[in-house]
Coordinates of all heavy atoms in Angstrom, one line a residue:
D1 N -7.4 -9.9 -0.2 CA -6.8 -10.2 -1.5 C -6.9 -8.9 -2.4 O -7.9 -8.4 -2.7 CB -7.5 -11.3 -2.2 CG -6.9 -11.7 -3.6 OD1 -5.8 -11.2 -3.9 OD2 -7.6 -12.3 -4.3
L2 N -5.7 -8.4 -2.7 CA -5.7 -7.1 -3.5 C -5.4 -7.3 -5.0 O -5.2 -6.4 -5.7 CB -4.6 -6.2 -2.9 CG -4.7 -5.9 -1.4 CD1 -3.4 -5.1 -1.0 CD2 -5.9 -5.1 -1.2
S3 N -5.5 -8.5 -5.4 CA -5.2 -8.8 -6.8 C -6.0 -8.1 -7.8 O -5.5 -7.7 -8.9 CB -5.2 -10.3 -7.1 OG -6.5 -10.8 -6.8
A4 N -7.3 -7.8 -7.5 CA -8.1 -7.0 -8.4 C -7.6 -5.6 -8.7 O -7.8 -5.1 -9.7 CB -9.5 -7.0 -7.9
L5 N -6.9 -5.1 -7.7 CA -6.3 -3.7 -7.9 C -5.2 -3.7 -8.9 O -4.9 -2.6 -9.5 CB -5.8 -3.2 -6.5 CG -6.9 -2.8 -5.5 CD1 -6.2 -2.4 -4.2 CD2 -7.9 -1.8 -6.0
A6 N -4.5 -4.8 -9.1 CA -3.4 -4.8 -10.0 C -3.7 -4.4 -11.4 O -2.9 -3.9 -12.1 CB -2.8 -6.2 -10.0
E7 N -5.0 -4.6 -11.8 CA -5.4 -4.2 -13.2 C -5.7 -2.7 -13.3 O -5.8 -2.2 -14.4 CB -6.6 -5.0 -13.6 CG -6.4 -6.5 -13.6 CD -7.6 -7.3 -13.9 OE1 -8.5 -6.8 -14.6 OE2 -7.7 -8.4 -13.4
L8 N -5.8 -2.0 -12.2 CA -6.2 -0.6 -12.2 C -4.9 0.3 -12.2 O -4.6 1.0 -11.3 CB -7.1 -0.3 -11.0 CG -8.3 -1.2 -10.9 CD1 -9.1 -0.9 -9.6 CD2 -9.2 -1.0 -12.1
K9 N -4.2 0.2 -13.3 CA -2.9 0.8 -13.4 C -2.9 2.4 -13.3 O -1.9 3.0 -13.1 CB -2.2 0.4 -14.7 CG -2.1 -1.0 -14.9 CD -1.0 -1.6 -14.1 CE -0.8 -3.1 -14.4 NZ 0.0 -3.8 -13.4
E10 N -4.1 3.0 -13.5 CA -4.1 4.5 -13.5 C -4.5 5.0 -12.2 O -4.6 6.3 -12.0 CB -5.1 4.9 -14.6 CG -4.8 4.5 -16.0 CD -3.5 5.1 -16.5 OE1 -3.2 6.3 -16.2 OE2 -2.7 4.4 -17.1
L11 N -4.7 4.2 -11.2 CA -5.0 4.7 -9.8 C -4.0 5.7 -9.3 O -2.8 5.5 -9.5 CB -5.2 3.6 -8.8 CG -6.4 2.7 -8.9 CD1 -6.3 1.5 -7.9 CD2 -7.6 3.5 -8.7
K12 N -4.5 6.8 -8.7 CA -3.6 7.8 -8.2 C -3.6 7.8 -6.6 O -2.7 8.1 -6.0 CB -4.0 9.2 -8.7 CG -4.0 9.3 -10.2 CD -2.8 10.0 -10.7 CE -2.8 10.4 -12.1 NZ -2.4 9.4 -13.0
R13 N -4.8 7.4 -6.1 CA -5.0 7.4 -4.6 C -5.8 6.1 -4.2 O -6.8 5.8 -4.9 CB -5.8 8.6 -4.2 CG -6.1 8.7 -2.8 CD -7.0 9.9 -2.5 NE -7.4 9.9 -1.1 CZ -6.9 10.6 -0.1 NH1 -5.9 11.4 -0.4 NH2 -7.3 10.5 1.1
V14 N -5.3 5.5 -3.2 CA -6.0 4.3 -2.7 C -6.0 4.4 -1.2 O -5.0 4.6 -0.5 CB -5.2 3.0 -3.1 CG1 -5.9 1.7 -2.5 CG2 -5.2 2.8 -4.6
D15 N -7.2 4.2 -0.6 CA -7.4 4.2 0.8 C -7.8 2.8 1.2 O -8.9 2.3 0.9 CB -8.5 5.2 1.2 CG -8.7 5.4 2.7 OD1 -8.2 4.5 3.4 OD2 -9.3 6.3 3.1
L16 N -6.9 2.1 1.9 CA -7.2 0.8 2.4 C -7.2 0.7 3.9 O -6.7 -0.2 4.6 CB -6.2 -0.2 1.8 CG -6.2 -0.3 0.3 CD1 -5.0 -1.1 -0.2 CD2 -7.5 -1.1 -0.1
F17 N -7.7 1.8 4.5 CA -7.8 1.9 6.0 C -8.6 0.7 6.6 O -9.6 0.4 6.1 CB -8.5 3.2 6.4 CG -8.7 3.4 7.8 CD1 -7.8 3.9 8.6 CD2 -10.0 3.1 8.4 CE1 -8.0 4.0 10.0 CE2 -10.2 3.2 9.7 CZ -9.2 3.7 10.5
N18 N -8.0 0.1 7.6 CA -8.6 -1.0 8.4 C -9.2 -2.1 7.5 O -10.4 -2.4 7.6 CB -9.7 -0.3 9.2 CG -10.2 -1.3 10.4 OD1 -9.5 -2.2 10.8 ND2 -11.4 -1.0 10.8
N19 N -8.3 -2.7 6.8 CA -8.8 -3.8 5.9 C -8.1 -5.2 6.2 O -8.3 -6.1 5.4 CB -8.5 -3.5 4.4 CG -9.6 -2.6 3.9 OD1 -10.7 -3.1 3.5 ND2 -9.4 -1.3 3.8
R20 N -7.4 -5.3 7.3 CA -6.7 -6.5 7.6 C -5.8 -7.1 6.5 O -5.8 -8.3 6.3 CB -7.7 -7.5 8.1 CG -8.5 -7.1 9.3 CD -8.8 -8.3 10.2 NE -9.5 -7.8 11.4 CZ -8.8 -7.7 12.6 NH1 -7.6 -7.9 12.6 NH2 -9.4 -7.3 13.6
I21 N -5.1 -6.2 5.9 CA -4.2 -6.6 4.8 C -2.9 -7.2 5.4 O -2.4 -6.7 6.3 CB -3.8 -5.4 3.9 CG1 -5.1 -4.8 3.3 CG2 -2.7 -5.7 2.9 CD1 -4.9 -3.5 2.7
S22 N -2.5 -8.3 4.9 CA -1.3 -9.0 5.4 C -0.2 -9.0 4.3 O 0.9 -9.3 4.5 CB -1.6 -10.4 5.9 OG -2.1 -11.2 4.9
D23 N -0.6 -8.8 3.0 CA 0.3 -8.8 1.9 C -0.1 -7.7 0.9 O -1.1 -7.8 0.2 CB 0.3 -10.2 1.2 CG 1.2 -10.3 0.0 OD1 2.0 -9.3 -0.2 OD2 1.1 -11.2 -0.8
A24 N 0.8 -6.7 0.9 CA 0.5 -5.5 0.0 C 1.4 -5.5 -1.2 O 1.5 -4.5 -1.9 CB 0.7 -4.3 0.8
S25 N 2.0 -6.6 -1.5 CA 3.0 -6.7 -2.6 C 2.3 -6.3 -4.0 O 3.0 -5.8 -4.9 CB 3.7 -8.0 -2.7 OG 2.7 -9.1 -2.9
T26 N 1.1 -6.7 -4.2 CA 0.4 -6.3 -5.4 C 0.4 -4.8 -5.7 O 0.4 -4.4 -6.8 CB -1.1 -6.8 -5.3 OG1 -1.1 -8.2 -5.1 CG2 -1.8 -6.5 -6.6
L27 N 0.4 -4.0 -4.7 CA 0.3 -2.6 -4.8 C 1.6 -2.0 -5.5 O 1.6 -0.9 -6.0 CB 0.1 -1.9 -3.5 CG -1.2 -2.3 -2.8 CD1 -1.3 -1.7 -1.4 CD2 -2.4 -1.9 -3.6
R28 N 2.7 -2.8 -5.4 CA 3.9 -2.3 -6.1 C 3.8 -2.1 -7.6 O 4.5 -1.4 -8.2 CB 5.0 -3.3 -5.8 CG 5.5 -3.3 -4.4 CD 6.7 -4.2 -4.2 NE 6.2 -5.4 -3.6 CZ 6.9 -6.5 -3.4 NH1 8.1 -6.5 -3.7 NH2 6.3 -7.6 -2.9
E29 N 2.8 -2.7 -8.2 CA 2.5 -2.6 -9.6 C 1.8 -1.3 -10.0 O 1.7 -1.0 -11.1 CB 1.7 -3.8 -10.1 CG 2.4 -5.2 -9.9 CD 1.5 -6.3 -10.2 OE1 0.7 -6.2 -11.1 OE2 1.6 -7.4 -9.5
L30 N 1.3 -0.6 -9.0 CA 0.5 0.6 -9.3 C 1.4 1.8 -9.2 O 1.4 2.6 -8.4 CB -0.6 0.7 -8.2 CG -1.6 -0.5 -8.1 CD1 -2.6 -0.3 -7.0 CD2 -2.3 -0.7 -9.5
T31 N 2.2 1.9 -10.3 CA 3.3 2.9 -10.3 C 2.9 4.3 -10.4 O 3.7 5.2 -10.3 CB 4.3 2.5 -11.4 OG1 3.6 2.5 -12.7 CG2 5.0 1.2 -11.2
K32 N 1.6 4.6 -10.7 CA 1.1 5.9 -10.8 C 0.5 6.4 -9.5 O 0.0 7.6 -9.5 CB 0.1 6.0 -12.0 CG 0.7 5.8 -13.3 CD -0.1 6.1 -14.5 CE 0.6 5.9 -15.8 NZ -0.2 6.3 -16.9
L33 N 0.5 5.6 -8.5 CA 0.0 6.0 -7.2 C 0.7 7.2 -6.7 O 2.0 7.3 -6.7 CB 0.1 4.9 -6.2 CG -1.0 3.9 -6.1 CD1 -0.7 2.8 -5.0 CD2 -2.4 4.5 -5.9
K34 N 0.0 8.2 -6.1 CA 0.6 9.3 -5.5 C 0.3 9.3 -4.0 O 1.1 9.8 -3.2 CB 0.0 10.6 -6.0 CG 0.3 10.8 -7.5 CD 1.8 10.9 -7.7 CE 2.1 11.1 -9.2 NZ 3.5 10.9 -9.4
V35 N -0.8 8.6 -3.6 CA -1.2 8.5 -2.1 C -1.7 7.1 -1.9 O -2.6 6.7 -2.6 CB -2.3 9.6 -1.7 CG1 -2.7 9.4 -0.3 CG2 -1.8 11.0 -2.0
L36 N -1.1 6.5 -0.9 CA -1.6 5.2 -0.4 C -1.8 5.2 1.1 O -0.8 5.4 1.8 CB -0.5 4.1 -0.8 CG -0.8 2.7 -0.4 CD1 -2.1 2.2 -1.0 CD2 0.4 1.8 -0.9
L37 N -3.0 5.0 1.5 CA -3.3 5.0 2.9 C -3.5 3.6 3.4 O -4.4 2.9 3.0 CB -4.6 5.8 3.1 CG -4.6 7.3 2.5 CD1 -5.9 7.9 2.7 CD2 -3.5 8.1 3.2
L38 N -2.7 3.2 4.4 CA -2.7 1.8 4.9 C -2.8 1.8 6.4 O -2.4 0.8 7.0 CB -1.4 1.1 4.4 CG -1.2 0.9 3.0 CD1 0.2 0.4 2.6 CD2 -2.3 -0.1 2.5
R39 N -3.3 2.8 7.0 CA -3.4 2.8 8.5 C -4.4 1.6 8.9 O -5.3 1.2 8.2 CB -4.0 4.1 9.0 CG -2.9 5.1 9.0 CD -3.4 6.3 9.9 NE -2.5 7.4 9.8 CZ -2.8 8.6 9.5 NH1 -4.0 9.0 9.3 NH2 -1.9 9.6 9.4
E40 N -4.2 1.2 10.2 CA -5.0 0.2 10.8 C -5.0 -1.2 10.0 O -6.1 -1.8 9.9 CB -6.5 0.7 10.9 CG -6.6 1.9 11.8 CD -6.2 1.7 13.3 OE1 -6.5 0.6 13.8 OE2 -5.6 2.6 13.9
N41 N -3.9 -1.6 9.6 CA -3.7 -2.9 9.0 C -2.5 -3.5 9.8 O -1.4 -3.5 9.3 CB -3.3 -2.7 7.5 CG -4.5 -2.4 6.6 OD1 -5.4 -3.2 6.4 ND2 -4.5 -1.1 6.2
P42 N -2.9 -4.1 10.9 CA -1.9 -4.5 11.9 C -1.0 -5.7 11.4 O 0.1 -5.9 11.9 CB -2.7 -4.9 13.1 CG -4.0 -5.2 12.6 CD -4.2 -4.3 11.4
D43 N -1.4 -6.4 10.3 CA -0.6 -7.5 9.8 C 0.5 -7.0 8.9 O 1.4 -7.8 8.5 CB -1.4 -8.5 9.2 CG -2.4 -9.2 10.2 OD1 -2.0 -9.3 11.4 OD2 -3.5 -9.6 9.8
L44 N 0.5 -5.8 8.5 CA 1.6 -5.3 7.6 C 2.8 -4.9 8.4 O 2.7 -4.3 9.5 CB 1.1 -4.0 6.9 CG 0.1 -4.2 5.7 CD1 -0.3 -2.9 5.1 CD2 0.7 -5.1 4.6
T45 N 3.9 -5.4 8.0 CA 5.2 -5.1 8.7 C 5.9 -3.9 8.2 O 5.6 -3.4 7.1 CB 6.1 -6.3 8.6 OG1 6.5 -6.4 7.2 CG2 5.4 -7.6 9.0
K46 N 6.8 -3.4 8.9 CA 7.6 -2.3 8.5 C 8.4 -2.6 7.3 O 8.6 -1.8 6.4 CB 8.6 -1.9 9.7 CG 9.6 -0.8 9.3 CD 9.0 0.6 9.6 CE 10.0 1.7 9.6 NZ 10.5 2.0 8.3
D47 N 8.9 -3.9 7.2 CA 9.6 -4.3 6.0 C 8.7 -4.3 4.8 O 9.2 -3.8 3.7 CB 10.1 -5.7 6.2 CG 11.0 -6.2 5.1 OD1 11.9 -5.5 4.7 OD2 10.7 -7.3 4.5
Q48 N 7.5 -4.7 4.9 CA 6.6 -4.6 3.7 C 6.4 -3.2 3.3 O 6.3 -2.9 2.1 CB 5.2 -5.2 4.1 CG 5.3 -6.8 4.2 CD 4.0 -7.4 4.7 OE1 3.5 -7.0 5.7 NE2 3.5 -8.3 3.9
I49 N 6.2 -2.3 4.2 CA 6.0 -0.8 3.9 C 7.3 -0.3 3.3 O 7.2 0.4 2.3 CB 5.7 0.0 5.2 CG1 4.4 -0.5 5.8 CG2 5.7 1.5 4.9 CD1 3.2 -0.3 5.0
D50 N 8.4 -0.7 3.7 CA 9.7 -0.2 3.1 C 9.8 -0.7 1.7 O 10.3 0.0 0.8 CB 10.9 -0.7 4.0 CG 11.0 0.0 5.3 OD1 10.4 1.1 5.5 OD2 11.7 -0.5 6.2
Q51 N 9.4 -1.9 1.4 CA 9.4 -2.5 0.1 C 8.5 -1.6 -0.8 O 8.8 -1.4 -2.0 CB 9.0 -3.9 0.0 CG 10.1 -4.8 0.6 CD 9.6 -6.3 0.7 OE1 8.7 -6.7 0.0 NE2 10.2 -7.0 1.6
L52 N 7.3 -1.3 -0.3 CA 6.4 -0.4 -1.1 C 7.0 0.9 -1.4 O 6.9 1.4 -2.5 CB 5.1 -0.3 -0.3 CG 4.1 -1.4 -0.4 CD1 2.9 -1.1 0.6 CD2 3.5 -1.6 -1.8
K53 N 7.6 1.5 -0.4 CA 8.2 2.8 -0.6 C 9.3 2.8 -1.7 O 9.5 3.7 -2.4 CB 8.8 3.3 0.7 CG 7.8 3.8 1.7 CD 8.4 4.3 3.0 CE 7.4 4.8 4.0 NZ 8.0 5.3 5.2
K54 N 10.1 1.7 -1.7 CA 11.1 1.5 -2.7 C 10.5 1.4 -4.1 O 11.0 2.0 -5.0 CB 12.0 0.3 -2.3 CG 13.2 0.2 -3.2 CD 14.1 -1.0 -2.7 CE 15.3 -1.1 -3.6 NZ 16.2 -2.1 -3.1
A55 N 9.4 0.6 -4.2 CA 8.8 0.4 -5.5 C 8.0 1.6 -6.0 O 7.8 1.7 -7.2 CB 7.9 -0.8 -5.4
L56 N 7.5 2.4 -5.0 CA 6.7 3.6 -5.4 C 7.3 4.8 -4.8 O 6.7 5.5 -3.9 CB 5.3 3.3 -4.8 CG 4.6 2.1 -5.2 CD1 3.3 1.8 -4.3 CD2 4.2 2.1 -6.7
P57 N 8.4 5.3 -5.3 CA 9.1 6.4 -4.7 C 8.4 7.7 -4.8 O 8.7 8.6 -4.1 CB 10.4 6.5 -5.5 CG 10.1 5.8 -6.8 CD 9.1 4.7 -6.5
D58 N 7.4 7.9 -5.7 CA 6.7 9.1 -5.9 C 5.4 9.1 -5.1 O 4.5 10.0 -5.3 CB 6.4 9.4 -7.4 CG 7.7 9.6 -8.1 OD1 8.7 10.2 -7.6 OD2 7.8 9.2 -9.3
C59 N 5.2 8.1 -4.3 CA 3.9 7.9 -3.6 C 4.1 8.2 -2.1 O 5.1 7.7 -1.5 CB 3.4 6.5 -3.8 SG 1.9 6.1 -3.0
T60 N 3.2 9.0 -1.6 CA 3.1 9.2 -0.1 C 2.4 8.0 0.5 O 1.2 7.8 0.2 CB 2.4 10.5 0.2 OG1 3.2 11.6 -0.4 CG2 2.3 10.7 1.7
I61 N 3.0 7.3 1.4 CA 2.4 6.1 2.0 C 2.2 6.4 3.5 O 3.2 6.6 4.2 CB 3.3 4.8 1.8 CG1 3.5 4.6 0.3 CG2 2.7 3.6 2.5 CD1 4.5 3.5 0.0
V62 N 1.0 6.4 3.9 CA 0.6 6.6 5.3 C 0.3 5.3 5.9 O -0.6 4.6 5.4 CB -0.6 7.6 5.4 CG1 -1.0 7.9 6.8 CG2 -0.3 8.9 4.6
H63 N 0.9 5.0 7.0 CA 0.8 3.7 7.7 C 1.1 3.9 9.1 O 1.5 4.9 9.6 CB 1.7 2.7 7.1 CG 3.2 3.1 7.2 ND1 3.9 2.7 8.3 CD2 4.0 3.9 6.5 CE1 5.1 3.2 8.2 NE2 5.2 3.9 7.2
D64 N 0.9 2.8 9.9 CA 1.2 2.8 11.3 C 2.0 1.5 11.6 O 1.9 1.0 12.8 CB 0.0 3.0 12.2 CG -1.2 2.1 11.8 OD1 -1.0 1.2 11.0 OD2 -2.2 2.4 12.4
A65 N 2.6 0.9 10.6 CA 3.4 -0.3 10.9 C 4.6 0.0 11.8 O 5.2 1.0 11.6 CB 3.9 -0.9 9.5
I66 N 4.9 -0.9 12.7 CA 6.0 -0.8 13.5 C 6.9 -2.0 13.4 O 6.5 -3.0 12.8 CB 5.6 -0.6 15.0 CG1 4.7 -1.7 15.4 CG2 4.9 0.7 15.2 CD1 4.3 -1.7 16.9
E67 N 8.1 -1.9 13.9 CA 9.1 -3.0 13.7 C 8.5 -4.3 14.2 O 7.8 -4.5 15.1 CB 10.3 -2.7 14.5 CG 11.0 -1.4 14.0 CD 12.0 -1.6 12.9 OE1 12.5 -2.7 12.7 OE2 12.3 -0.6 12.2

């Protein structure tokens, strides 16, 4: 559950490596993010990553999601 992060609007970098995340939609609210590390979260889909990229165009998102 990433809901606690939604209140941290000034975050610039988040490392969520190997956290078994299945829903990253909350992260779309963190518009000041510059780096988001999501490797080793096998339940995240390519579609979810694409949605994050669209919502956070100035953020580098590192992941290993596949189709």
Side-chain angles (χ1 to χ4, degrees):
D1 179 18
L2 301 174
S3 60
L5 291 177
E7 297 177 30
L8 304 173
K9 304 287 187 194
E10 299 297 316
L11 284 176
K12 303 255 189 273
R13 178 185 172 98
V14 175
D15 185 345
L16 295 169
F17 175 83
N18 196 22
N19 276 280
R20 300 214 173 261
I21 296 167
S22 60
D23 180 9
S25 60
T26 302
L27 299 173
R28 288 183 264 177
E29 300 173 35
L30 303 177
T31 57
K32 294 191 178 182
L33 274 181
K34 297 297 178 193
V35 177
L36 177 57
L37 305 174
L38 292 170
R39 283 196 186 130
E40 299 295 323
N41 286 286
D43 294 333
L44 285 178
T45 66
K46 176 88 167 73
D47 185 52
Q48 288 173 306
I49 298 298
D50 289 343
Q51 289 175 23
L52 281 172
K53 287 180 177 181
K54 187 174 182 178
L56 303 169
D58 296 325
C59 182
T60 299
I61 300 173
V62 180
H63 63 90
D64 49 10
I66 54 176
E67 302 268 341

